[in-house]
């Protein structure tokens, strides 16, 4: 990774890798050895699949000193795109804009995977 990109990865993301569940301990050991944060599959909140109201309910249940991942796939609608996700990307961007003030009101600190290395 470093030889190709010139920097260390921020995290390991096995996107859509539920079929690798039996490999999880090996992946976690690798990440610990290399000091690379890895997505905690048990704490991922899929913002794309939830309404803003349901996101707010989940956020209110967040506990102090814990970390959670809310993921979205934001984008801008492209009329030339044939992707079935094209419109959903625009909706995710709107959800992020809507939920951001709610996060602040509920004292949720936003961090990146780079912050987890510390």
């Amino acid at each position: 990774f470093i030889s190709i990109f010139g920097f260390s990865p921020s995290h390991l993301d096995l996107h859509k890798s539920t079929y690798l569940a039996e490999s999880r301990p090996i992946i976690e050991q690798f990440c610990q050895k290399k000091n690379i944060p890895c997505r905690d599959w048990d704490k991922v909140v899929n913002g794309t699949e939830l309404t803003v109201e349901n996101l707010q309910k989940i956020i209110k249940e967040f506990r102090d000193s814990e970390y959670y991942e809310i993921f979205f796939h934001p984008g801008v609608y492209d009329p030339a795109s044939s992707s079935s996700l094209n419109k959903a990307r625009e909706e995710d961007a709107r959800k992020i804009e809507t939920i951001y003030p709610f996060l602040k009101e509920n004292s949720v600190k936003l961090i990146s995977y780079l912050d987890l290395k510390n």
Side-chain angles (χ1 to χ4, degrees), residues 3-91:
S3 66
I4 293 170
F5 295 105
F7 56 88
S8 297
S10 63
H11 68 287
L12 183 64
D13 181 0
L14 300 175
H15 191 63
K16 298 183 180 181
S17 61
T18 53
Y19 61 91
L20 293 174
E22 66 278 357
S23 302
R24 184 176 176 170
I26 297 166
I27 295 165
E28 289 173 346
Q29 286 175 358
F30 172 83
C31 288
Q32 287 175 351
K33 181 179 176 183
K34 300 291 184 178
N35 194 30
I36 301 171
C38 185
R39 171 176 278 161
D40 186 338
W41 292 272
D42 296 330
K43 294 184 179 180
V44 174
V45 177
N46 186 340
T48 297
E49 293 181 353
L50 296 169
T51 65
V52 169
E53 293 77 19
N54 285 339
L55 278 167
Q56 290 173 332
K57 287 178 188 174
I58 290 169
I59 290 165
K60 284 183 179 180
E61 295 176 8
F62 283 179
R63 293 176 295 187
D64 291 345
S65 302
E66 292 286 328
Y67 67 90
Y68 302 86
E69 177 182 2
I70 304 173
F71 77 85
F72 296 94
H73 295 98
V76 177
Y77 179 73
D78 179 359
S81 173
S82 61
S83 170
S84 62
L85 301 174
N86 191 14
K87 192 65 177 167
R89 301 290 190 239
E90 188 173 64
E91 178 64 19

Side-chain angles (χ1 to χ4, degrees), residues 88-112:
R89 301 290 190 239
E90 188 173 64
E91 178 64 19
D92 272 5
R94 187 195 66 76
K95 285 181 186 177
I96 292 168
E97 290 173 348
T98 303
I99 207 73
Y100 179 71
F102 187 80
L103 292 169
K104 290 183 81 169
E105 290 169 16
N106 285 273
S107 302
V108 175
K109 180 182 175 188
L110 299 179
I111 64 170
S112 76

